[in-house]
Amino acid sequence: MAWDLSCVDWQDRIRRGQSLMPDLPDLDVARGERAVRIFNRLRIPDIVGTPLLADACGEWFREIVMALHGSFDPVTRERMIRELFILVPKKNAKTTLGAATMLTSVLMNERPRGEFLIVAPTKEVAQLAFDQATGMIDLDRGLRKRFHIQDHKKTITYLTTGATLKIKAFSPDVMTGVKPSGILVDEEHVVAERADADRVMGQIRGGMVSQPEAFLAIITTQSERPPRGVFKGDLKKARAVRDGLVQGHTLPILYEFPPDIQKASTVPGQPAPWENPALWQMVLPNAGRSITVPRLEDDFREAKEKGLEELTRWASQHLNVEIGLALRNDRWAGADYWEAQADPDLTVSEIVARSDVIVAGIDGGGLDDLLSLTIMGRDSVTAEWLQWSKSWVMEGVLQLRKREASQLQDFVKQGDLVIVQEPGMDIEHLADTLGGVNKSGKLAMVGLDPMGVGAIVDALADRGIEGPRVVGVSQGWTLSGAIKTAERKLADGSLLHCGQPIMTWAVSNAKVEARGNAIIITKQAAGYLKIDPLMSLLNAVVLMSKNPQAKPTMAGFMRRGLLTA
């Protein structure tokens, strides 16, 4: 039976500066205290005076060491805490404390030839972890006699049991032939950007199955971009355990602001709640040791002077502020208002029911692009513009665009992106979607880039959508009016969308360029990042700006109060 690892009052605790460790009544305190004693005796090798961890580490991490090792049952040899998920900002000694934890685990281990790994996102971080671990051994005469260090193999062997601690950079061959007793993954948010991250993390977890005492420890900061892939999934799971929504074997220790502080400013020109340095102590468990708030304040001012993009990146790394939109200096102005205009209750059927007229925008290029559809309705009562989208992508794009593969897989799981195996299937799916909307009698027009759309036009005609209702929308500088219209309607609150992550991603990818008196958003400006869903929205905006009319319906008259039932 799993332990209850929830900490449902975490918001109150973090505000008061209290421990985030849940109550663990079944913990083997004696075993846990033994691990803490070993941990405390290790020294930090790259700080003047090489202080003991007993002095240089905060109590917050000693609690983690005790919980991890005290959750081991010596009779069943099963570890009740099989995973750690620690979310903590930079400069809180993650790599150093992680190396110390793994050394402690090797010394506590009873399995002959047990295998332990530290997996880092890059060779540089792997080297740092190795230097920290070997430095701790070199500073202790007793440990020097009991360990054999092989620099060329990045391997440390405990001579008493034959257990090894290996430090590796993240790659698919990490788990080749390994049956780990313990693994630490450093900076999972960086690892998650790899196309094969899901597979490798699956191998890591699968390799632990045969070892009942095995554990996986993940120590990471927030991502510099919206969370994605395996990092997003593990973060979601850890939050669910912490909040008591699910039971599991993951111990979540998440140093992040409560939602009311983490949110962005809702008043233009006003600072966000998290920008108040008086609140930073909440998410800095090692403050006063490896980091100080005054030093962070200096960095904060420098980041703010460089602009919103650098400030956003800085906040994600140093305060664990989760990024919703990757805002840049050359961002589209509408991005500043995008998140505030989300209505998660909007669906395509809801838009059809509420609207007196509907238009659609389509964008899609070659086989390595997303084929994107936007449905936009005009509310028959409030005249608000209501937006929903869906996209399709060829299966081969995930191999071609490996950098974005994990992000695209997330959109598939969320239901906003469909992967198709054969050319043409995406067009058929899109046409079927529009055919269903057309049956409402409210679809006035469909707009699309006039280049290379013959197959789409034919598919729409087969569903009864043809003639003057299918129009070409000129691209480039001629979209300047639609770009400005969309950003104004987002700013004044009259454009609502259903909060789909794929649209948030596309909006954050958009880069704006000035062309004479016009502004443009182009795929060339966005580079390898995709903006097709946003372009389909702009095509729909062009049509809705023409004030289209659909055939009046009895339902429409009733909603406006012109008829009674």
Side-chain angles (χ1 to χ4, degrees):
M1 182 177 178
W3 287 2
D4 181 2
L5 300 176
S6 66
C7 186
V8 294
D9 61 341
W10 72 272
Q11 293 189 42
D12 292 334
R13 291 192 185 197
I14 204 166
R15 291 178 197 274
R16 295 194 296 261
Q18 295 178 339
S19 168
L20 299 182
M21 181 65 63
D23 297 329
L24 302 174
D26 297 323
L27 196 70
D28 184 340
V29 175
R31 186 179 182 86
E33 288 179 343
R34 179 182 165 221
V36 170
R37 286 195 299 271
I38 294 172
F39 179 86
N40 281 340
R41 288 183 55 187
L42 299 174
R43 293 183 176 273
I44 301 180
D46 59 350
I47 293 181
V48 175
T50 61
L52 293 167
L53 284 176
D55 304 315
C57 174
E59 189 61 29
W60 69 283
F61 207 87
R62 270 185 283 275
E63 291 180 339
I64 294 171
V65 173
M66 172 172 278
L68 176 64
H69 296 92
S71 68
F72 176 76
D73 187 328
V75 177
T76 65
R77 304 198 59 78
E78 182 180 7
R79 195 181 302 271
M80 300 305 295
I81 295 177
R82 298 173 192 166
E83 294 195 18
L84 297 175
F85 190 91
I86 305 170
L87 185 72
V88 64
K90 283 186 179 297
K91 306 305 179 184
N92 280 273
K94 294 189 308 302
T95 301
T96 298
L97 299 179
T101 301
M102 296 306 286
L103 267 182
T104 301
S105 297
V106 170
L107 290 164
M108 292 286 294
N109 167 68
E110 298 172 1
R111 179 183 289 273
R113 300 183 179 276
E115 296 180 280
F116 295 82
L117 286 176
I118 296 179
V119 180
T122 64
K123 290 182 179 179
E124 291 74 20
V125 177
Q127 183 64 50
L128 176 59
F130 183 73
D131 290 344
Q132 294 297 86
T134 56
M136 292 174 186
I137 293 171
D138 288 339
L139 289 169
D140 188 295
R141 185 173 59 184
L143 294 183
R144 286 201 304 270
K145 295 179 180 179
R146 296 156 70 187
F147 280 95
H148 174 57
I149 298 172
Q150 295 171 284
D151 290 277
H152 63 293
K153 292 184 177 181
K154 297 292 183 289
T155 300
I156 301 167
T157 303
Y158 183 44
L159 300 176
T160 304
T161 62
T164 57
L165 174 60
K166 298 180 181 180
I167 289 83
K168 294 187 177 184
F170 189 88
S171 67
D173 63 356
V174 165
M175 289 306 299
T176 302
V178 173
K179 296 180 180 179
S181 294
I183 297 181
L184 184 143
V185 176
D186 197 359
E187 296 291 28
E188 189 188 35
H189 77 278
V190 178
V191 165
E193 295 188 3
R194 294 180 56 110
D196 54 8
D198 281 331
R199 180 166 64 89
V200 178
M201 291 299 291
Q203 289 177 338
I204 288 174
R205 288 185 165 100
M208 296 165 50
V209 172
S210 62
Q211 317 278 53
E213 79 278 15
F215 68 87
L216 167 62
I218 297 170
I219 305 181
T220 184
T221 63
Q222 257 295 354
S223 175
E224 294 185 10
R225 297 196 289 174
R228 59 191 291 184
V230 66
F231 169 67
K232 181 178 180 179
D234 286 340
L235 176 59
K236 181 179 179 180
K237 179 178 71 173
R239 285 172 173 164
V241 173
R242 175 197 64 187
D243 298 340
L245 302 178
V246 300
Q247 291 290 312
H249 294 277
T250 299
L251 174 63
I253 304 294
L254 310 177
Y255 282 94
E256 58 183 358
F257 289 120
D260 63 312
I261 298 175
Q262 174 125 205
K263 67 181 181 181
S265 174
T266 57
V267 181
Q270 294 294 317
W274 56 262
E275 294 186 49
N276 181 2
L279 303 178
W280 295 353
Q281 196 90 11
M282 290 185 198
V283 296
L284 302 173
N286 227 46
R289 296 177 177 87
S290 57
I291 188 64
T292 65
V293 172
R295 173 61 187 274
L296 277 185
E297 288 186 68
D298 292 338
D299 290 346
F300 168 72
R301 284 189 288 268
E302 290 181 11
K304 198 165 187 177
E305 289 174 0
K306 292 179 181 178
L308 184 57
E309 179 183 0
E310 175 60 18
L311 177 61
T312 303
R313 186 207 63 79
W314 182 91
S316 72
Q317 298 301 285
H318 294 279
L319 297 177
N320 272 350
V321 174
E322 183 172 327
I323 296 176
L325 285 171
L327 301 180
R328 298 181 303 268
N329 292 330
D330 56 355
R331 70 192 181 280
W332 174 44
D336 291 357
Y337 307 96
W338 184 260
E339 289 187 310
Q341 291 306 108
D343 180 357
D345 294 330
L346 272 183
T347 61
V348 65
S349 58
E350 177 74 6
I351 291 174
V352 170
R354 288 172 55 177
S355 300
D356 61 358
V357 67
I358 295 170
V359 299
I362 298 172
D363 185 83
L367 295 179
D368 66 335
D369 289 321
L370 307 185
L371 176 63
S372 297
L373 167 68
T374 284
I375 302 294
M376 181 172 286
R378 184 176 62 208
D379 192 288
S380 60
V381 176
T382 66
E384 293 170 323
W385 294 4
L386 313 174
Q387 183 269 339
W388 172 91
S389 74
K390 190 148 192 170
S391 296
W392 293 262
V393 66
M394 291 297 299
E395 189 174 35
V397 173
L398 273 67
Q399 293 299 319
L400 185 65
R401 303 279 183 178
K402 290 184 178 181
R403 186 170 181 178
E404 297 302 309
S406 63
Q407 184 71 82
L408 297 177
Q409 290 285 8
D410 284 345
F411 300 146
V412 171
K413 295 173 185 176
Q414 292 150 3
D416 301 325
L417 178 67
V418 177
I419 297 175
V420 297
Q421 285 72 42
E422 299 177 11
M425 289 177 62
D426 50 353
I427 293 175
E428 291 299 312
H429 290 175
L430 181 150
D432 285 341
T433 302
L434 273 178
V437 174
N438 189 48
K439 292 178 182 178
S440 69
K442 299 179 181 181
L443 182 63
M445 290 187 288
V446 178
L448 62 170
D449 183 343
M451 297 297 292
V453 294
I456 298 176
V457 172
D458 291 343
L460 293 179
D462 290 342
R463 276 84 172 170
I465 308 170
E466 56 187 337
R469 290 203 295 159
V470 181
V471 300
V473 178
S474 298
Q475 304 296 293
W477 67 269
T478 56
L479 279 179
S480 182
I483 294 170
K484 294 177 179 178
T485 297
E487 61 193 40
R488 282 184 173 273
K489 293 190 76 66
L490 285 166
D492 67 22
S494 59
L495 194 163
L496 301 175
H497 59 88
C498 52
Q500 293 166 297
I502 194 169
M503 280 300 304
T504 301
W505 173 70
V507 167
S508 73
N509 290 341
K511 295 182 181 180
V512 173
E513 291 182 358
R515 294 282 179 88
N517 294 327
I519 57 173
I520 63 170
I521 296 174
T522 67
K523 295 179 181 180
Q524 289 77 17
Y528 68 89
L529 299 171
K530 294 297 183 183
I531 58 171
D532 307 277
L534 174 60
M535 300 307 291
S536 72
L537 180 148
L538 294 176
N539 289 341
V541 168
V542 169
L543 301 186
M544 191 61 82
S545 298
K546 299 178 183 293
N547 192 28
Q549 302 296 318
K551 291 182 179 181
T553 62
M554 297 294 289
F557 284 125
M558 292 175 65
R559 286 192 60 136
R560 293 183 176 188
L562 301 178
L563 290 176
T564 57

